Amino acid sequence: METKNLAVFCGSSTGTDSIYIENAEKLGEELANRNRILIYGGAQVGCMGALADTSLRNGGSVVGVIPKKLKDVEIAHEQLTELHVVETMHERKSKMAELADGFVALPGGAGTLEEWFEVFTWSQLGYHAKPCGLLNVNGFFNPLIAMLDHTIEQGFMNKNYREMILVASDPKELLEKMDSYSPSYTAKWT
Ligand code: AMP
């Protein structure tokens, strides 16, 4: 099923290598070309800003969700199709989860990882059946994937959940994997 509304978590920083911004832009352009709606954290800064700008520049629709407190720090994007200003981080995440049909993380910091892990663990628990992907630019997520494999080896995670994670280094390939995802797992506690 087509992932019409895609939530993207990514860094509020640019990273040290220009490859991170370039791939955020590639994804933004690809989303616009495919008429997909980008749901993201609503900021103007770092990879988040580059992603939104490129999608908008190519005629895409972009919905931002930002908490009041961060409106000035992360500089809320003024040109979005829609901007939701919410009270808390929890509201930000639940609004994004409600609006999205799928979730992707691009390279980013603790905020990005936290947001992505939350939705991934929700899928393990069967709270949703939406695809969760990682855009593995520059092998950025290799250490994280190795950690998850270690977690499985040590008996803390079922390997079925690892197989639910869609990984690709190219935005187009990742979107194709997201579109053809069909949840074939058993939720953790059922
Ligand atoms: P970072 O990857 O740390 O640059 O953060 C990327 C985005 O995640 C920024 O918009 C942060 O405000 C956001 N963020 C950081 N921590 C959280 C959290 N606990 N819940 C929701 N968003 C967060």
Side-chain angles (χ1 to χ4, degrees):
M1 194 185 74
E2 184 180 287
T3 314
K4 179 75 183 165
N5 300 281
L6 183 73
V8 179
F9 308 121
C10 67
S12 54
S13 309
T14 58
T16 50
D17 194 315
S18 60
I19 197 170
Y20 298 119
I21 286 280
E22 282 157 25
N23 275 273
E25 291 177 344
K26 241 172 128 178
L27 177 63
E29 185 177 349
E30 198 55 38
L31 291 174
N33 291 344
R34 291 176 186 231
N35 277 320
R36 307 299 169 89
I37 299 168
L38 167 65
I39 316 290
Y40 88 117
Q44 254 186 56
V45 294
C47 290
M48 295 173 75
L51 169 73
D53 284 341
T54 317
S55 185
L56 290 168
R57 222 178 13 252
N58 286 277
S61 299
V62 182
V63 178
V65 186
I66 197 162
K68 258 189 198 153
K69 186 174 150 57
L70 291 184
K71 250 188 96 183
D72 299 327
V73 194
E74 295 188 353
I75 320 173
H77 202 300
E78 303 291 342
Q79 265 83 49
L80 302 180
T81 316
E82 214 177 323
L83 179 69
H84 297 270
V85 180
V86 295
E87 293 297 324
T88 64
M89 285 294 201
H90 284 126
E91 267 184 62
R92 178 195 233 180
K93 288 187 291 188
S94 62
K95 187 76 191 167
M96 289 176 73
E98 172 199 318
L99 294 173
D101 308 312
F103 309 93
V104 159
L106 267 59
T112 301
L113 298 174
E114 193 273 345
E115 292 171 313
W116 186 85
F117 263 103
E118 181 174 76
V119 292
F120 171 59
T121 54
W122 284 352
S123 70
Q124 277 191 14
L125 298 170
Y127 282 106
H128 68 77
K130 303 172 185 178
C132 294
L134 296 171
L135 186 66
N136 198 14
V137 178
N138 204 22
F140 179 82
F141 288 113
N142 290 350
L144 181 76
I145 294 164
M147 181 66 209
L148 291 173
D149 288 339
H150 177 65
T151 308
I152 294 166
E153 275 158 34
Q154 296 302 309
F156 289 104
M157 186 172 127
N158 185 310
K159 73 172 177 18
N160 294 338
Y161 302 129
R162 163 71 184 83
E163 283 155 16
M164 283 158 50
I165 305 172
L166 309 175
V167 184
S169 56
D170 174 68
K172 268 190 194 171
E173 192 190 333
L174 186 59
L175 290 179
E176 272 146 31
K177 285 190 176 179
M178 303 285 292
D179 285 353
S180 52
Y181 175 78
S182 65
S184 59
Y185 60 90
T186 318
K188 192 169 177 171
W189 305 114
T190 55

